[in-house]
Amino acid sequence: MINTSSCTNKSFMLLEKMRIIGLTGGIATGKTTVSNLFKANGFPVVDADVVARDVLKKGSGGWRKVVAAFGDDILLENGEVDRPKLGQIVFGDPSKRHLLNRLLAPYISYGIFWEVLKLWLKGCRIIILDVPLLFEAKMDRWTNPIIVVWIDPETQLKRLMDRDRTSAQDAQNRINAQMPSDLKRSKADIVIDNNGSLEELNENFKKILDQVTKPLTWTEFLVSRQGAMVVIISIVSGVLGCKKLIARL
């Protein structure tokens, strides 16, 4: 395991910086496995899927919106949303899928922002933003670099069918509901090819660690908590200096 020391509680270590790395990939490409590898190596991960589950919890604002739009038929006996049933509805109907995304997008965006903010306040230098719809939600503009986990379409279909024990048609419908993996790959800064074994994926992962832990740019520094502190201190010092200068005139 690599000790990255991604977060620090020393508020005034001004040389500490923050980078938000975008992690995405199509369904059944192995993105979650890569996300877990980052966690195992000490990187804090903001998982959009976890946030999405939270915003659909019974009684939440997202829950109320979805139930109002799709009816009580999507609920389990305990009142929670039957996620597999809702998934079958939206993956087979693009208009309903767009409706669901539109209803939940504000809640998910806020949840992600809040998780990133908490890590920023802790002084984390590197944050992994794990978002399946990174490009579709236009969150890629806030991340650098962007990592895409990629496999070829045939392997993706087979892995999804094996994983979910579903038919080829159902699996293809779910794949078609997302941006094509090849298009995501074309937008990536770093591509992790996951067509091979788990051992090969681990080796590919090790190769990218140097890229994601390299020194940050000044732009990344300025959006970090420490960078913000430097700017604030500089402004305050400038104001106080001007006041002293004026007082001497």
Side-chain angles (χ1 to χ4, degrees):
M1 182 182 294
I2 297 173
N3 183 8
T4 61
S5 300
S6 296
C7 297
T8 176
N9 290 322
K10 298 178 180 180
S11 300
F12 293 98
M13 292 180 65
L14 298 182
L15 294 180
E16 299 291 323
K17 307 171 185 179
M18 184 187 73
R19 167 179 288 143
I20 301 177
I21 299 171
L23 174 64
T24 191
I27 189 171
T29 59
K31 176 186 64 63
T32 299
T33 302
V34 173
S35 182
N36 289 334
L37 287 173
F38 273 114
K39 292 176 186 176
N41 282 276
F43 292 86
V45 175
V46 176
D47 190 333
D49 284 340
V50 173
V51 173
R53 286 196 290 271
D54 288 340
V55 302
L56 260 185
K57 284 183 177 178
K58 181 181 177 180
S60 67
W63 179 89
R64 287 192 292 270
K65 292 278 189 180
V66 170
V67 172
F70 291 90
D72 294 340
D73 290 342
I74 63 167
L75 297 178
L76 297 167
E77 290 184 1
N78 63 4
E80 296 288 353
V81 172
D82 186 336
R83 297 175 189 276
K85 186 173 185 178
L86 179 60
Q88 289 179 345
I89 293 172
V90 300
F91 282 122
D93 188 331
S95 63
K96 291 181 179 178
R97 184 170 66 252
H98 293 320
L99 172 61
L100 179 65
N101 289 337
R102 189 167 67 251
L103 292 173
L104 293 182
Y107 297 98
I108 294 174
S109 296
Y110 175 80
I112 290 173
F113 169 77
W114 179 241
E115 292 301 317
V116 170
L117 178 61
K118 287 190 291 186
L119 292 171
W120 184 79
L121 291 172
K122 288 181 180 179
C124 292
R125 293 181 296 158
I126 299 174
I127 298 171
I128 310 300
L129 192 57
D130 178 353
V131 185
L133 303 180
L134 184 75
F135 298 113
E136 296 90 330
K138 302 188 185 306
M139 291 185 182
D140 55 303
R141 68 184 72 177
W142 307 114
T143 62
N144 182 43
I146 297 169
I147 300 172
V148 170
V149 184
W150 177 85
I151 57 177
D152 63 68
E154 293 78 15
T155 302
Q156 184 180 19
L157 180 62
K158 184 180 184 303
R159 287 184 182 177
L160 182 56
M161 292 172 62
D162 292 343
R163 189 192 74 180
D164 293 355
R165 299 182 181 277
T166 187
S167 68
Q169 185 59 56
D170 286 342
Q172 194 62 58
N173 285 341
R174 298 189 69 182
I175 292 172
N176 293 342
Q178 298 183 341
M179 178 185 290
S181 290
D182 285 344
L183 180 55
K184 288 186 177 183
R185 180 176 62 170
S186 70
K187 295 174 176 287
D189 298 305
I190 300 171
V191 176
I192 298 179
D193 187 324
N194 190 27
N195 281 295
S197 64
L198 183 58
E199 290 73 21
E200 290 173 313
L201 175 61
N202 282 322
E203 288 302 314
N204 289 335
F205 176 77
K206 290 176 183 177
K207 292 176 182 177
I208 71 166
L209 285 181
D210 286 341
Q211 297 181 62
V212 301
T213 56
K214 65 183 180 181
L216 274 66
T217 65
W218 276 106
T219 300
E220 292 168 322
F221 174 65
L222 289 174
V223 300
S224 70
R225 183 184 66 167
Q226 290 79 17
M229 289 171 63
V230 169
V231 172
I232 292 171
I233 292 172
S234 298
I235 292 174
V236 171
S237 298
V239 171
L240 292 177
C242 287
K243 285 186 176 180
K244 290 180 180 179
L245 181 61
I246 293 172
R248 291 175 180 175
L249 296 177

